[in-house]
Amino acid sequence: MPGLIEQDERTHIGLFNSIEVPKLSMAQGAEIGNYNIIKGNGKVVLGRNAVIADYCSILTTTRSAYGMMGEHCPQEFTDPTDADIYIMDDAYVGAYSIICPGVRIGEGAVIGAYSYIMKDVLPDTIIRFKSKRLESERKWYHNRSYEGKK
């Protein structure tokens, strides 16, 4: 059941989003892409020209963010907590990212695709995803492509 959505001029909400928060506030020029989940009991605030790309999860409740971890969940996250999320002016959240409760993403910060954000991000910071598995697969492919070519 969606709550209140406050939108200023020139905001955009894409297709097939699941928005289940008590309040979503979007400043001028803010955008939400397609296929996102915005869920929990806290509010979500998007600053001017803030962007949430496609397939992101913006979770304002620890039950949503950590429920899948089960017994592996750190002790400090086992109690259900609701906290607001702020994505400040000109910030960008890349595709397939997960934003946890209580996070504030600073002005001009860029969150790379596939990132898992559990703490505040300072203004003008770039966070990028780097998978060791992906890197090892690249090395394997690179080495394999040169086998037998001497």
Side-chain angles (χ1 to χ4, degrees):
M1 166 168 63
L4 176 66
I5 298 178
E6 294 179 351
Q7 292 179 271
D8 282 351
E9 296 178 8
R10 294 181 291 162
T11 61
H12 174 75
I13 298 177
L15 300 173
F16 310 113
N17 288 296
S18 174
I19 301 174
E20 298 176 25
V21 290
K23 184 176 181 182
L24 171 64
S25 178
M26 299 175 68
Q28 183 177 356
E31 296 183 26
I32 298 174
N34 303 310
Y35 301 101
N36 293 298
I37 296 172
I38 301 174
K39 185 175 182 178
N41 295 324
K43 69 180 179 181
V44 176
V45 177
L46 298 177
R48 289 174 41 101
N49 302 317
V51 175
I52 298 173
D54 299 339
Y55 299 99
C56 293
S57 295
I58 311 298
L59 307 171
T60 65
T61 302
T62 53
R63 288 180 296 275
S64 301
Y66 303 103
M68 64 186 142
M69 294 176 69
E71 63 188 43
H72 304 291
C73 186
Q75 183 63 38
E76 62 267 24
F77 299 117
T78 55
D79 293 331
T81 304
D82 301 316
D84 301 336
I85 294 176
Y86 294 89
I87 301 174
M88 306 309 285
D89 297 350
D90 301 312
Y92 177 83
V93 177
Y96 298 96
S97 294
I98 298 173
I99 308 298
C100 292
V103 169
R104 178 183 290 266
I105 298 175
E107 291 184 17
V110 175
I111 307 299
Y114 298 96
S115 296
Y116 190 89
I117 306 299
M118 296 176 65
K119 297 181 180 179
D120 290 354
V121 177
L122 297 174
D124 300 317
T125 302
I126 297 174
I127 304 290
R128 68 185 184 99
F129 170 78
K130 181 179 179 185
S131 168
K132 289 185 178 185
R133 180 176 178 204
L134 181 61
E135 189 167 315
S136 67
E137 288 173 358
R138 285 186 186 143
K139 286 179 183 176
W140 174 84
Y141 181 78
H142 178 75
N143 291 338
R144 183 168 168 78
S145 64
Y146 288 107
E147 286 178 7
K149 295 181 182 180
K150 294 189 176 189

